[in-house]
Amino acid sequence: MSPRNVTADDRVRAVLYPLDGVGLDELVDAAALLTRVDRKYVLPVDDAVTVLDALARTTPARVLEIDGARSSAYESVYFDTPDLASFRLTATRRRRRFKVRTRTYLDSGASFLEVKTRAARGATLKQRVAHDARPTALGSGRTFVGRTLAAEGIDGVPEHALAPGLVSRYRRTTLLLPRPDGAARATVDTGLMWELDQPGAHAPLTWTVPHLVVVETKGGSTPSDLDRLLWRHGHRPERISKYGTGLALLRPDLPDGPWRRVIRRHLSPGATAPAGTTHPARTTPGHDDWSL
């Protein structure tokens, strides 16, 4: 394989090759973690490989392996109201916020409808059901979405108004991180791409991020071995949301408050904007922008 064709996913799989595999059932039994504390890190590919090499050499971590494959292609379609209630509740850091998406595992074709909300003490609660409709349609899943939002105290969001918007695609490697008090999980995402249809545009707006790796640890309040290794190498958790950050990048008219630092540090428009695409200059959101 020519070095020019080596992807970030190739490098991640190579550096984790010495680790043992773990099956999906065992991973779920050990660390389902539908209620969890998430820590997200954004790293250049070289830095991510360095940290993961240290993990492989010093911990008993294991890699999710399904039919011999150690990474999988994902596609997420995010649903929001016409006034972008989901996006704006997160952009303005409201305590009661939500996210609705379909997630499709492209290698197998399996699809799920997921609702994410904030649980007690800032933990993330994810609830999901199998999804038989198209990934871009909620179908009968609207009932599940409405019931779940109501149960979690998210009021005033009519599920019938939710429509598909931003799409994200990437490859994911999943790690099981055993520890004395249980187990944590981590995901390593490469090849991230966002896509957004715009009215009147000849083609969707796209934003690709081949030079970055997004690492997310998922566990309890106690940091995992991977968190500690990341800290030791000078990396700290950052605010990044595949929905919020992607939409803020492709819609610079929207507020980007929680993700402004990661956008400026890692996702400079001049460095990553697709050829031939222009974006309006971003301005600091005023009171009206934040209150919508």
Side-chain angles (χ1 to χ4, degrees):
M1 181 182 294
S2 167
R4 290 180 300 175
N5 297 325
V6 175
T7 66
D9 177 64
D10 293 328
R11 296 184 64 189
V12 166
R13 286 187 292 109
V15 78
L16 295 176
Y17 180 79
L19 293 177
D20 291 336
V22 60
L24 181 59
D25 289 344
E26 184 178 351
L27 176 77
V28 171
D29 287 343
L33 301 173
L34 294 182
T35 302
R36 67 208 189 199
V37 175
D38 298 340
R39 298 180 180 88
K40 301 178 182 180
Y41 305 83
V42 182
L43 294 76
V45 175
D46 286 348
D47 290 2
V49 169
T50 296
V51 171
L52 293 174
D53 177 61
L55 182 79
R57 288 186 291 102
T58 62
T59 76
R62 298 164 70 188
V63 184
L64 176 63
E65 187 171 313
I66 300 175
D67 295 330
R70 288 192 164 199
S71 72
S72 302
Y74 283 52
E75 177 184 87
S76 296
V77 179
Y78 296 91
F79 292 76
D80 212 335
T81 60
D83 61 348
L84 301 179
S86 174
F87 172 86
R88 294 184 186 277
L89 287 170
T90 303
T92 53
R93 305 182 188 181
R94 300 296 178 89
R95 185 173 67 88
R96 293 290 186 184
R97 53 187 187 259
F98 71 97
K99 188 179 297 176
V100 176
R101 71 187 179 201
T102 56
R103 166 163 288 175
T104 302
Y105 300 86
L106 297 176
D107 297 331
S108 67
S111 186
F112 293 86
L113 174 59
E114 301 182 342
V115 178
K116 296 178 74 174
T117 55
R118 300 284 283 183
R121 300 182 180 179
T124 299
L125 174 62
K126 182 173 75 173
Q127 301 177 71
R128 72 178 192 172
V129 293
H131 188 62
D132 296 327
R134 300 188 316 276
T136 54
L138 291 179
S140 61
R142 290 187 187 276
T143 301
F144 164 74
V145 172
R147 185 173 62 246
T148 303
L149 292 178
E152 299 306 321
I154 308 294
D155 301 318
V157 180
E159 64 271 16
H160 63 269
L162 293 169
L166 186 76
V167 178
S168 70
R169 298 185 184 94
Y170 50 93
R171 292 199 68 85
R172 168 165 289 183
T173 299
T174 301
L175 299 167
L176 177 64
L177 308 172
R179 57 189 192 186
D181 60 345
R185 270 168 41 192
T187 56
V188 182
D189 295 343
T190 60
L192 177 60
M193 183 193 78
W194 288 288
E195 181 178 284
L196 180 67
D197 284 320
Q198 287 285 72
H202 295 295
L205 293 174
T206 60
W207 203 294
T208 59
V209 191
H211 63 294
L212 295 175
V213 175
V214 179
V215 177
E216 183 172 353
T217 61
K218 311 162 192 284
S221 57
T222 304
S224 67
D225 289 341
L226 181 53
D227 287 297
R228 298 183 189 283
L229 278 171
L230 285 158
W231 299 347
R232 196 173 304 150
H233 285 81
H235 302 287
R236 292 294 182 269
E238 299 196 71
R239 290 182 180 272
I240 183 171
S241 156
K242 287 190 177 70
Y243 180 48
T245 307
L247 194 57
L249 280 167
L250 293 173
R251 286 278 309 274
D253 57 303
L254 295 175
D256 66 344
W259 317 289
R260 186 172 301 140
R261 182 177 183 273
V262 78
I263 287 172
R264 291 179 176 176
R265 183 176 181 184
H266 300 289
L267 300 165
S268 165
T272 60
T277 299
T278 59
H279 299 286
R282 183 178 296 284
T283 58
T284 301
H287 175 76
D288 288 344
D289 294 312
W290 288 94
S291 61
L292 288 174

